[in-house]
Amino acid sequence: MFRAGELVKGFKSRTVPRERTALAIWFWEIDRLLLSLIVALMAIGLVAVAAASPVAAIDRSTTTVAVNPLIYFYRQLMWVGLGLPIMLVISMLPRPQARRFAVVMCCVFVLALMLVPLLGSTVNGAKRWIDLPGFRFQPSEFLKPVYVVTIAWLLSLRGKDETLPVIPLTGVVTAFIALILMRQPDFGQTVIFAACWGCLLLLSGVPMRFIGAMAGIGLAGLVAMYMFYENGRQRINDFLGIGVDHAAGPDQTDLAYRTITHGGFMGVGPGGGQNKFRLPEAHTDYIFSVIGEEFGLLACIAIAVLYLAIVVRVLLRLLDEEDNFTILAAAGLTTQFGLQAIINMGVNAQIFPSKGMTLPFISYGGSSMLALCIGVGLLLAFTRRNPFMGRHTVVKWSGR
């Protein structure tokens, strides 16, 4: 016959970690598999940037100044070294503090986005960046993850009081951000924000007729964009081959497709790519094509599977989650992450028109890397869970 005190004491000694420091608690609660997948993406990104860095270095070299072929690899290594600790620190925040951090940062970066037309610098015909001493950052990149968490928090308030006008409020916020982005112009980021808002509305339980109406408005917006928005119309026409002077040579998506398929399934080997030197922004927008040429289509498929594994892992983590805000925030962050990856890979495979969007954790970029680290840090914070909570032990008593 068992004694209850001895059974409980034995159960605790086998399951509960003896060390109760904050770091030990974080280690037991963090989703270590998700963290490992993210770190693997960072490592792959460093290899990819090293392969694409010589292309960007040649483009930026002059007759008097020769840029180091691996300069962008060294810079990316610096951004990873800075972003990874930021991600881990944010993942240690309790959920309420992580939510408050995101809401405050959302307000800060909306203000920064509003300042871009006044203080921003123009790069490749688009004004999206703000220059600071020694650092140029893109406010829209940093805004994406904190925007998702803020909208998730507002929509979660419907569960407490359905009379709150949170849906119109989130719509106004999203439309305001989209208007600023379209003026930069940045149609790709606008699509990401709108898609994340629609996903969060759907998950929050908004009636399907409302979702259908929003989809109709979105379609009408695309038609209006094509008719009145020169930048977007030009990209779509180039993608469809309308009005393109083929004698002038292939466009960006054609070059990307030729590069990604040049290496076949196994690739031409690290450093052996030649088509990559014809790509514009090979280290950022078209780095997936560089991977395809030098490491093969099998490497591209493996990367796509890795992104899918991250999305599936988060969704599985949310299956038994009961907090509405946590579900919305984590699902929204995953949607933003996965959609950005799909768009970039689709552009490189000539499925979508060019959008100027980076591949998460693989493309070069300080703003992109730090913003992604903030977003994944929030995602890890929201998916933290005590592994010993929710376990039910059935004890069969014998005796009288």
Side-chain angles (χ1 to χ4, degrees), residues 288-310:
F288 195 61
S289 293
V290 176
I291 295 173
E293 182 180 27
E294 298 202 353
F295 302 97
L297 293 176
L298 290 179
C300 293
I301 294 172
I303 291 173
V305 170
L306 186 56
Y307 282 115
L308 178 62
I310 292 172

Short mmCIF file of all heavy atoms in Angstrom, two decimals, residues 288-310:
data_model
loop_
_atom_site.label_atom_id
_atom_site.label_comp_id
_atom_site.label_asym_id
_atom_site.label_seq_id
_atom_site.Cartn_x
_atom_site.Cartn_y
_atom_site.Cartn_z
N PHE A 288 17.60 33.26 -52.45
CA PHE A 288 17.09 31.90 -52.62
C PHE A 288 17.54 31.33 -53.97
O PHE A 288 17.81 30.12 -54.08
CB PHE A 288 15.57 31.91 -52.52
CG PHE A 288 14.95 30.55 -52.32
CD1 PHE A 288 15.25 29.80 -51.20
CD2 PHE A 288 14.06 30.02 -53.23
CE1 PHE A 288 14.68 28.55 -50.99
CE2 PHE A 288 13.48 28.78 -53.05
CZ PHE A 288 13.80 28.04 -51.92
N SER A 289 17.65 32.18 -54.98
CA SER A 289 18.14 31.72 -56.28
C SER A 289 19.62 31.37 -56.21
O SER A 289 20.07 30.42 -56.86
CB SER A 289 17.91 32.80 -57.33
OG SER A 289 16.53 32.98 -57.58
N VAL A 290 20.39 32.13 -55.44
CA VAL A 290 21.81 31.82 -55.25
C VAL A 290 21.97 30.45 -54.59
O VAL A 290 22.82 29.65 -54.97
CB VAL A 290 22.50 32.91 -54.42
CG1 VAL A 290 23.95 32.55 -54.14
CG2 VAL A 290 22.41 34.26 -55.13
N ILE A 291 21.13 30.17 -53.60
CA ILE A 291 21.16 28.86 -52.94
C ILE A 291 20.85 27.76 -53.95
O ILE A 291 21.51 26.71 -53.96
CB ILE A 291 20.15 28.84 -51.77
CG1 ILE A 291 20.57 29.83 -50.69
CG2 ILE A 291 20.04 27.43 -51.18
CD1 ILE A 291 19.54 29.99 -49.59
N GLY A 292 19.85 27.98 -54.81
CA GLY A 292 19.50 26.98 -55.79
C GLY A 292 20.62 26.70 -56.77
O GLY A 292 20.86 25.54 -57.15
N GLU A 293 21.33 27.75 -57.19
CA GLU A 293 22.41 27.55 -58.16
C GLU A 293 23.59 26.82 -57.54
O GLU A 293 24.15 25.89 -58.15
CB GLU A 293 22.87 28.89 -58.73
CG GLU A 293 23.96 28.73 -59.79
CD GLU A 293 24.42 30.05 -60.38
OE1 GLU A 293 24.31 31.09 -59.68
OE2 GLU A 293 24.89 30.04 -61.53
N GLU A 294 24.01 27.22 -56.35
CA GLU A 294 25.24 26.66 -55.79
C GLU A 294 25.03 25.40 -54.96
O GLU A 294 25.92 24.55 -54.88
CB GLU A 294 25.94 27.73 -54.94
CG GLU A 294 26.36 28.94 -55.76
CD GLU A 294 27.47 29.74 -55.13
OE1 GLU A 294 27.83 29.44 -53.96
OE2 GLU A 294 27.96 30.68 -55.77
N PHE A 295 23.86 25.26 -54.33
CA PHE A 295 23.62 24.11 -53.46
C PHE A 295 22.51 23.19 -53.98
O PHE A 295 22.27 22.14 -53.39
CB PHE A 295 23.30 24.59 -52.04
CG PHE A 295 24.38 25.42 -51.44
CD1 PHE A 295 24.31 26.81 -51.47
CD2 PHE A 295 25.49 24.83 -50.86
CE1 PHE A 295 25.33 27.59 -50.92
CE2 PHE A 295 26.51 25.60 -50.31
CZ PHE A 295 26.43 26.99 -50.35
N GLY A 296 21.82 23.60 -55.04
CA GLY A 296 20.87 22.73 -55.69
C GLY A 296 19.43 22.92 -55.23
O GLY A 296 19.15 23.50 -54.17
N LEU A 297 18.51 22.40 -56.05
CA LEU A 297 17.10 22.48 -55.71
C LEU A 297 16.76 21.67 -54.47
O LEU A 297 15.80 21.99 -53.77
CB LEU A 297 16.27 22.00 -56.91
CG LEU A 297 16.32 22.88 -58.16
CD1 LEU A 297 15.54 22.23 -59.30
CD2 LEU A 297 15.79 24.28 -57.87
N LEU A 298 17.55 20.62 -54.20
CA LEU A 298 17.30 19.85 -52.98
C LEU A 298 17.51 20.71 -51.74
O LEU A 298 16.78 20.58 -50.75
CB LEU A 298 18.21 18.62 -52.95
CG LEU A 298 17.90 17.52 -53.95
CD1 LEU A 298 18.91 16.37 -53.82
CD2 LEU A 298 16.48 16.99 -53.75
N ALA A 299 18.51 21.59 -51.78
CA ALA A 299 18.73 22.51 -50.66
C ALA A 299 17.56 23.49 -50.53
O ALA A 299 17.13 23.81 -49.41
CB ALA A 299 20.04 23.27 -50.86
N CYS A 300 17.03 23.96 -51.67
CA CYS A 300 15.87 24.86 -51.63
C CYS A 300 14.66 24.15 -51.03
O CYS A 300 13.92 24.74 -50.22
CB CYS A 300 15.55 25.35 -53.04
SG CYS A 300 16.80 26.43 -53.76
N ILE A 301 14.45 22.90 -51.41
CA ILE A 301 13.34 22.13 -50.85
C ILE A 301 13.52 21.94 -49.35
O ILE A 301 12.57 22.06 -48.57
CB ILE A 301 13.22 20.77 -51.57
CG1 ILE A 301 12.82 20.99 -53.04
CG2 ILE A 301 12.20 19.87 -50.88
CD1 ILE A 301 12.86 19.73 -53.87
N ALA A 302 14.76 21.65 -48.94
CA ALA A 302 15.03 21.46 -47.51
C ALA A 302 14.72 22.74 -46.72
O ALA A 302 14.17 22.68 -45.61
CB ALA A 302 16.48 21.03 -47.31
N ILE A 303 15.07 23.89 -47.28
CA ILE A 303 14.78 25.15 -46.60
C ILE A 303 13.28 25.39 -46.52
O ILE A 303 12.76 25.82 -45.47
CB ILE A 303 15.48 26.30 -47.34
CG1 ILE A 303 17.00 26.19 -47.17
CG2 ILE A 303 14.98 27.65 -46.84
CD1 ILE A 303 17.78 27.18 -48.00
N ALA A 304 12.56 25.10 -47.60
CA ALA A 304 11.10 25.24 -47.57
C ALA A 304 10.48 24.33 -46.52
O ALA A 304 9.55 24.73 -45.80
CB ALA A 304 10.52 24.94 -48.95
N VAL A 305 10.99 23.11 -46.41
CA VAL A 305 10.50 22.18 -45.39
C VAL A 305 10.81 22.70 -43.99
O VAL A 305 10.01 22.55 -43.07
CB VAL A 305 11.11 20.78 -45.61
CG1 VAL A 305 10.80 19.85 -44.43
CG2 VAL A 305 10.59 20.16 -46.90
N LEU A 306 11.96 23.34 -43.83
CA LEU A 306 12.32 23.91 -42.53
C LEU A 306 11.35 25.02 -42.13
O LEU A 306 10.91 25.09 -40.96
CB LEU A 306 13.74 24.44 -42.59
CG LEU A 306 14.37 24.94 -41.28
CD1 LEU A 306 14.32 23.86 -40.21
CD2 LEU A 306 15.80 25.39 -41.52
N TYR A 307 10.99 25.88 -43.07
CA TYR A 307 9.99 26.91 -42.77
C TYR A 307 8.65 26.27 -42.41
O TYR A 307 7.96 26.70 -41.46
CB TYR A 307 9.80 27.84 -43.98
CG TYR A 307 10.89 28.87 -44.14
CD1 TYR A 307 11.74 28.84 -45.24
CD2 TYR A 307 11.07 29.86 -43.19
CE1 TYR A 307 12.74 29.78 -45.39
CE2 TYR A 307 12.07 30.81 -43.34
CZ TYR A 307 12.90 30.77 -44.44
OH TYR A 307 13.90 31.70 -44.58
N LEU A 308 8.26 25.23 -43.16
CA LEU A 308 7.01 24.54 -42.86
C LEU A 308 7.04 23.92 -41.48
O LEU A 308 6.04 23.96 -40.74
CB LEU A 308 6.74 23.48 -43.93
CG LEU A 308 5.48 22.63 -43.75
CD1 LEU A 308 4.23 23.50 -43.80
CD2 LEU A 308 5.41 21.54 -44.81
N ALA A 309 8.18 23.35 -41.11
CA ALA A 309 8.31 22.72 -39.79
C ALA A 309 8.13 23.75 -38.67
O ALA A 309 7.52 23.45 -37.63
CB ALA A 309 9.68 22.04 -39.67
N ILE A 310 8.64 24.96 -38.88
CA ILE A 310 8.47 26.01 -37.87
C ILE A 310 7.00 26.37 -37.71
O ILE A 310 6.48 26.49 -36.58
CB ILE A 310 9.30 27.25 -38.26
CG1 ILE A 310 10.80 26.92 -38.15
CG2 ILE A 310 8.94 28.44 -37.38
CD1 ILE A 310 11.70 28.01 -38.69
#
